[in-house]
Amino acid sequence: MTARKTTLTAAAFLLSGTALMAQDVTLTIESWRNDDISIWRNQIIPAFEAAHPGIKLDFQPTAPAQYNSALNSKLDAGTAGDIVTCRAFDASLALFQKGQLADLTDLDGMANYSDVAKSAWSTDDGSQQFCVPMASVIHGFIYNADAFNELGLEEPTTVDEFFAVLDAIAADGSYIPMAMGVNDQWEAATMGYANIGPNYWMGEQGRNALIAGDAKLTDAEFVAPFEQLARWSDYLGRGFESQSYPDSQNLFTLGRAAIYPSGSWEIAGFRSLADFEMGAFPPPVQNAGDTCYISDHTDMGMGLNAASPNAEAGRTFLNWLGSSEFATLFANAVPGFFPLSNAEVTLDDSLAQEFISWRGDCESSIRPFHQILSRGTPNLSNESWGTSANVIRGGQTPADAAAQMQAGLASWYAPQQ
């Protein structure tokens, strides 16, 4: 009897040890995307766990406004999760420089991303990557396809065709040609200057020339977008000077405006509000046959907490983010937020598919002032809000707006001095 008890005890110990060895690793994910809880828990997590037995995911988001401060506090206290959702550019770079985000330069999955995609989570010299690029938004123009059909209009491809379409809508009088106000200022820069600008400064070529000090904001290619914006005021409708961002959204979704300069992030909201068919076209080029450039702006990445005890499992998860499986899942779950990997993606939403298709036709760039150029005072991105709004409302000439921005940048940024 004693021998039998000893055997049973040994067997129980071995089984217990086996169970401990086989225990799942759980990766906790920090994020500000609390709107995405159901998407992660019902779609993304089950897909990952099915393909990676032994690794569990726990998505624990914080309210967006509190995310940065909460994450910093957790990292300082050693209580942060294993996976960190990364804001673009300086906020995440600071965490890497403090040693709180792991170096992911040698992660196999990084081969699935372009230099443009990685730029928001790279060191200034591009030699190290600390977050895996996850999602971007693409700028362009969304339009009321029913209105275009009614008026016999086609999508414009050149600037001249663009203004001809606006003139035709204005002449008919049934619709406001474009829905955009300047009351909040940021949309004038984001949906205006940063939207159309890459076609003038040739995307990354011009953006990198500014960073290097080889180009100035007073150069023709940076003044030209302001010159186009100055022409927009004739097409924005009565009272656009005091029109807010929600006002513009309402004008478009209620069917009162024919064109909405904006981007892919509007798709899900517009789908739920508009009762008409929508289409989209990229920023028109100056001349037929010109190379087109789009703002395919990096918005969200994911990194590894340098203090995570589950680094190997964390790297497995981060590699999976570059897969076609994740790209398709995420892009269809959150239409208008596009995976940044090179994986082939087929989207169910036709408008989202239209936006992402431009990657095959145009060169991608990011918003011009988000990397390095807005670290000083005055902040160049914020400066562009005011100047873009002023140019559209007629309170500042394009040349004066460019000169103001160049003077501000040169006041603190050595390569521009």
Side-chain angles (χ1 to χ4, degrees), residues 288-372:
D290 285 354
T291 300
C292 59
Y293 297 84
I294 55 171
S295 179
D296 188 356
H297 188 68
T298 46
D299 186 68
M300 187 190 317
M302 282 199 167
L304 176 65
N305 181 350
S308 169
N310 304 309
E312 183 178 352
R315 291 171 70 91
T316 296
F317 169 72
L318 293 173
N319 271 320
W320 182 72
L321 294 184
S323 69
S324 180
E325 180 182 24
F326 172 78
T328 300
L329 272 173
F330 185 80
N332 282 303
V334 193
F337 288 82
F338 302 115
L340 282 161
S341 72
N342 299 326
E344 289 291 328
V345 179
T346 300
L347 303 183
D348 298 331
D349 187 286
S350 60
L351 193 57
Q353 181 61 43
E354 175 61 29
F355 271 97
I356 202 172
S357 73
W358 301 342
R359 287 179 174 172
D361 302 323
C362 306
E363 298 292 328
S364 290
S365 184
I366 61 174
R367 294 174 191 162
F369 311 135
H370 278 57
Q371 185 181 31
I372 300 175

Side-chain angles (χ1 to χ4, degrees), residues 10-138:
F13 175 79
L14 289 171
L15 287 171
S16 174
T18 302
L20 287 172
M21 290 177 64
Q23 186 174 10
D24 290 337
V25 170
T26 297
L27 299 174
T28 300
I29 300 173
E30 304 277 2
S31 176
W32 69 85
R33 291 290 300 174
N34 50 9
D35 289 345
D36 296 346
I37 289 177
S38 63
I39 293 166
W40 276 89
R41 294 182 179 172
N42 297 328
Q43 298 181 56
I44 297 174
I45 290 176
F48 174 80
E49 291 180 352
H52 300 86
I55 304 177
K56 299 291 186 183
L57 301 180
D58 182 18
F59 185 71
Q60 292 291 340
T62 303
Q66 285 81 52
Y67 179 70
N68 285 21
S69 59
L71 176 64
N72 289 339
S73 296
K74 289 179 183 179
L75 287 169
D76 289 342
T79 59
D82 305 276
I83 302 297
V84 174
T85 304
C86 302
R87 303 274 196 192
F89 300 106
D90 288 354
S92 295
L93 176 60
L95 297 179
F96 177 64
Q97 291 172 333
K98 288 173 65 177
Q100 294 178 325
L101 287 177
D103 189 332
L104 301 178
T105 309
D106 63 349
L107 189 75
D108 291 342
M110 281 295 183
N112 296 330
Y113 302 91
S114 69
D115 289 342
V116 174
K118 292 187 288 189
S119 62
W121 301 284
S122 298
T123 51
D124 287 354
D125 62 4
S127 65
Q128 293 174 287
Q129 283 77 50
F130 44 86
C131 297
V132 173
M134 184 177 171
S136 74
V137 290
I138 298 177

Side-chain angles (χ1 to χ4, degrees), residues 162-197:
F162 177 60
F163 282 99
V165 166
L166 293 174
D167 286 333
I169 299 168
D172 175 78
S174 301
Y175 303 91
I176 298 168
M178 280 201 299
M180 193 183 80
V182 298
N183 184 72
D184 298 337
Q185 296 194 341
W186 70 268
E187 65 267 53
T190 303
M191 304 174 185
Y193 191 85
N195 188 355
I196 64 175

Side-chain angles (χ1 to χ4, degrees), residues 180-183 233 236-244 247 251:
M180 193 183 80
V182 298
N183 184 72
S233 59
L236 301 180
R238 184 179 303 170
F240 74 86
E241 297 90 345
S242 59
Q243 185 173 303
S244 68
D247 292 335
L251 284 174

Side-chain angles (χ1 to χ4, degrees), residues 134-335:
M134 184 177 171
S136 74
V137 290
I138 298 177
H139 295 63
F141 295 81
I142 301 174
Y143 67 91
N144 182 330
D146 292 350
F148 267 49
N149 290 334
E150 176 189 332
L151 301 178
L153 301 173
E154 296 183 356
E155 295 178 4
T157 59
T158 67
V159 172
D160 286 345
E161 291 174 356
F162 177 60
F163 282 99
V165 166
L166 293 174
D167 286 333
I169 299 168
D172 175 78
S174 301
Y175 303 91
I176 298 168
M178 280 201 299
M180 193 183 80
V182 298
N183 184 72
D184 298 337
Q185 296 194 341
W186 70 268
E187 65 267 53
T190 303
M191 304 174 185
Y193 191 85
N195 188 355
I196 64 175
N199 277 331
Y200 291 97
W201 59 68
M202 299 177 69
E204 289 296 277
Q205 178 177 318
R207 190 182 72 83
N208 287 323
L210 278 180
I211 293 173
D214 297 331
K216 295 186 181 300
L217 288 159
T218 49
D219 292 345
E221 63 268 28
F222 293 98
V223 179
F226 281 131
E227 292 172 342
Q228 187 187 143
L229 289 185
R231 301 174 62 187
W232 282 21
S233 59
D234 292 337
Y235 306 98
L236 301 180
R238 184 179 303 170
F240 74 86
E241 297 90 345
S242 59
Q243 185 173 303
S244 68
Y245 176 53
D247 292 335
S248 301
Q249 292 174 306
N250 289 336
L251 284 174
F252 183 72
T253 56
L254 291 172
R256 294 175 56 192
I259 298 174
Y260 186 84
S262 182
S264 61
W265 61 89
E266 302 283 9
I267 291 175
F270 281 7
R271 284 289 190 212
S272 66
L273 295 170
D275 61 359
F276 50 82
E277 288 297 316
M278 290 178 286
F281 58 87
V285 297
Q286 297 172 71
N287 301 294
D290 285 354
T291 300
C292 59
Y293 297 84
I294 55 171
S295 179
D296 188 356
H297 188 68
T298 46
D299 186 68
M300 187 190 317
M302 282 199 167
L304 176 65
N305 181 350
S308 169
N310 304 309
E312 183 178 352
R315 291 171 70 91
T316 296
F317 169 72
L318 293 173
N319 271 320
W320 182 72
L321 294 184
S323 69
S324 180
E325 180 182 24
F326 172 78
T328 300
L329 272 173
F330 185 80
N332 282 303
V334 193

